[in-house]
Amino acid sequence: MRFLVVDDSPTMRRIVCNALKEIGYSDMSEAGDGAEALSALNDQPADFLITDWNMPNMNGLELTKAVRGHDQFGEMPILMITTRGMKEDVVAAMQARVNNYVVKPFTPDVLREKIDMILQTA
Amino acid sequence: MDSPTDNFDSLLDKLEEVRAVFVLSKRSMPFLEEFFGFVRDVAPLIEEIDQAIRQSSGEMPQAKSQLESVSQATELATTEILDLVDAVLEDVRAIEQRQQRAAERAAERSALDERLMARLREALDADARGTDALSDADCAALLADAETLHAERDALGEDDTEADVPDEAFAEIRQKMNRIMLSLQVQDITSQQIAGVNHLIESVRTRLTELTHRFTTGGRAPAPAPPATKDEPLTFDANARYDHEADRQQMADSLIASFGSEAAEAPSADTRADDAHTDDARASDAPTDDGPTGDGHAGGQAPDVSPEETESKAESGAASPVSQDDIDALFQ
């Protein structure tokens, strides 16, 4: 399972990658914003997208919509990990068709739970 | 008694004074007109400045509150990390002591083995010299010594597993390190809070600069160009929080779970929902037509809010928290 971790904060990317390793995943790549992530997906497809929301160039919501509209990888699982914790935020993310939603700060257990839920329904 | 001539002279003096007043008025009229014009021009500007100052003053408490939140978050996270570091060091010390005890016992066993070997070597050397040292009494003594040493060794025990670190100890350390990693997320959260404050300060500064420029130039010179970043989309969440309350995640989970249960109840609407979402992804500005239902939700679709509306509300921070269970339901 290859993960693409997208966040404009290098610290958060590192934390997410460490958390993924902690729950047993080892194949992951990183991107600093939505545009970079799309480019990375075109070069080397991933199996699972984990994205932040607030990012420059292309935010996580826009990235999700762009991914969902893509012919090649439009159905890949998408997990949004963000500080945004309001109802309207979650609704907007659902409308963009994220598979699940995690509010920062998160624990590796929460990450595992959401990934397992997504993979079970995939 | 005043003569008519005196009265006439007095009248002429008075008329001269009145004439002087009119001349003064005539000379001061342009100045007064200019002054009134200036007041007329400046009054709206002053009102704008007053309004801007009031608005900026109103935003300062928000900035202050956000900075206080940053301070509290970093203090909380730092305390958590220090506590966890202390706990991990304690675990490591316990492992070190356990291993030291095991090493000491192993050294004692080794010493006893060495004494036994030395005693046997001594006996064999005597026998090799042919000194008839291995008499029955000597053999009995040798056997007694060997049994004594063996008993002492038995008392120490042969269990070397004390040197092994139990899996639970490693699990404890790993769990604490994961919690440290959780606490380090404060960096991302506080950086967004600070970005929010910076944005606030910059908007106030821009506003006041523009007004000051208009006040000093009377609007005759072009205003200074606004910062290049003024119209860029926000890349931070000013409402980011660092805490361990589960309310926001529970809200997200509940929404997701309820969305999923609605999708299960109205499978025929899923195709319509997928089409709507696909169209929405491809035409990013097109509003979503959810269609009327009894509860305002089309089966399989999110609540009846257009993407632009929700994103706009999300950007502006106008929101209402929902339980995590609702969010979880939407994604099941």
Side-chain angles (χ1 to χ4, degrees):
Chain A
M1 173 77 61
R2 180 176 173 79
F3 287 82
L4 176 60
V5 176
V6 190
D7 197 306
D8 59 329
S9 165
T11 302
M12 275 312 305
R13 292 201 302 270
R14 188 170 171 180
I15 289 174
V16 171
C17 288
N18 283 351
L20 285 170
K21 286 174 194 169
E22 190 56 32
I23 62 177
Y25 298 103
S26 57
D27 189 2
M28 55 208 75
S29 58
E30 301 177 26
D33 57 53
E36 191 179 323
L38 270 183
S39 176
L41 286 171
N42 282 319
D43 291 341
Q44 187 175 11
D47 303 307
F48 201 115
L49 177 65
I50 295 178
T51 180
D52 184 21
W53 185 316
N54 292 108
M55 295 183 292
N57 297 327
M58 181 188 285
N59 65 34
L61 205 67
E62 292 163 344
L63 170 63
T64 300
K65 291 175 182 175
V67 166
R68 287 293 180 237
H70 200 284
D71 293 331
Q72 184 183 351
F73 42 75
E75 295 305 314
M76 73 185 300
I78 300 177
L79 175 65
M80 184 160 285
I81 300 181
T82 173
T83 57
R84 291 175 173 263
M86 295 298 182
K87 176 181 179 180
E88 281 75 8
D89 301 325
V90 182
V91 169
M94 288 188 316
Q95 289 182 332
R97 292 179 62 207
V98 300
N99 293 92
N100 218 309
Y101 196 98
V102 171
V103 181
K104 295 176 185 174
F106 69 94
T107 65
D109 287 340
V110 169
L111 184 63
R112 186 208 316 267
E113 175 193 336
K114 300 309 177 197
I115 291 174
D116 287 349
M117 283 173 64
I118 291 172
L119 294 178
Q120 281 171 8
T121 56
Chain B
M1 185 176 171
D2 293 335
S3 67
T5 303
D6 292 336
N7 289 335
F8 187 72
D9 286 341
S10 173
L11 182 61
L12 284 176
D13 290 339
K14 294 283 190 283
L15 285 173
E16 190 61 33
E17 287 176 11
V18 171
R19 178 179 170 278
V21 169
F22 279 119
V23 168
L24 179 63
S25 299
K26 185 179 174 184
R27 287 178 183 174
S28 62
M29 193 57 67
F31 167 75
L32 287 174
E33 282 178 356
E34 192 175 333
F35 178 74
F36 289 141
F38 171 76
V39 170
R40 191 173 46 243
D41 291 340
V42 165
L45 198 58
I46 291 176
E47 193 175 325
E48 264 188 70
I49 290 174
D50 178 64
Q51 194 175 355
I53 289 173
R54 285 177 192 279
Q55 190 175 355
S56 301
S57 299
E59 289 170 351
M60 286 303 111
Q62 181 186 350
K64 177 174 175 287
S65 170
Q66 282 187 283
L67 288 175
E68 284 174 353
S69 177
V70 169
S71 178
Q72 287 166 3
T74 52
E75 180 174 349
L76 176 61
T78 303
T79 302
E80 289 170 357
I81 291 170
L82 286 172
D83 289 344
L84 288 165
V85 166
D86 286 344
V88 169
L89 288 175
E90 193 56 42
D91 290 344
V92 169
R93 266 191 288 273
I95 292 172
E96 285 174 341
Q97 286 171 357
R98 184 188 175 91
Q99 290 184 329
Q100 186 175 1
R101 281 195 301 273
E104 286 169 357
R105 284 234 270 273
E108 286 179 32
R109 281 196 292 273
S110 181
L112 286 169
D113 288 342
E114 192 56 40
R115 280 170 59 190
L116 181 58
M117 291 305 296
R119 185 68 183 89
L120 288 172
R121 230 178 274 122
E122 178 188 320
L124 287 172
D125 285 346
D127 185 59
R129 284 196 298 273
T131 57
D132 195 23
L134 288 180
S135 63
D136 289 346
D138 288 335
C139 285
L142 177 60
L143 183 60
D145 288 344
E147 284 174 348
T148 301
L149 288 169
H150 189 71
E152 286 182 32
R153 201 181 190 286
D154 277 349
L156 288 173
E158 286 292 338
D159 185 13
D160 288 331
T161 59
E162 177 146 327
D164 297 335
V165 180
D167 291 342
E168 293 79 22
F170 284 126
E172 275 289 318
I173 292 174
R174 175 172 282 109
Q175 188 185 36
K176 293 182 177 75
M177 299 307 281
N178 283 334
R179 286 168 57 190
I180 290 175
M181 195 165 60
L182 167 68
S183 298
L184 290 172
Q185 292 175 63
V186 72
Q187 188 275 330
D188 177 53
I189 290 167
T190 53
S191 73
Q192 294 194 55
Q193 292 173 323
I194 291 171
V197 174
N198 283 340
H199 181 80
L200 200 67
I201 291 171
E202 183 59 30
S203 67
V204 168
R205 189 190 73 82
T206 302
R207 201 180 309 144
L208 291 177
T209 300
E210 186 182 353
L211 285 172
T212 304
H213 175 82
R214 285 173 55 191
F215 186 77
T216 54
T217 65
R220 287 185 290 274
T229 57
K230 185 184 175 189
D231 295 321
E232 287 181 5
L234 300 180
T235 60
F236 57 86
D237 175 17
N239 296 319
R241 267 169 42 196
Y242 180 80
D243 56 40
H244 297 302
E245 295 174 24
D247 57 326
R248 291 180 302 155
Q249 185 63 53
Q250 287 170 355
M251 175 273 291
D253 291 345
S254 294
L255 265 181
I256 292 167
S258 65
F259 177 66
S261 63
E262 284 174 6
E265 287 168 5
S268 62
D270 283 350
T271 304
R272 184 158 50 94
D274 287 344
D275 290 342
H277 285 307
T278 300
D279 291 341
D280 183 50
R282 288 187 177 139
S284 59
D285 291 331
T288 300
D289 181 8
D290 289 333
T293 61
D295 60 356
H297 296 174
Q301 289 186 343
D304 197 1
V305 182
S306 71
E308 291 70 33
E309 219 172 78
T310 54
E311 189 162 359
S312 170
K313 279 185 182 174
E315 290 283 351
S316 68
S320 54
V322 180
S323 68
Q324 182 65 52
D325 292 335
D326 291 336
I327 294 179
D328 270 341
L330 284 166
F331 281 99
Q332 286 175 356

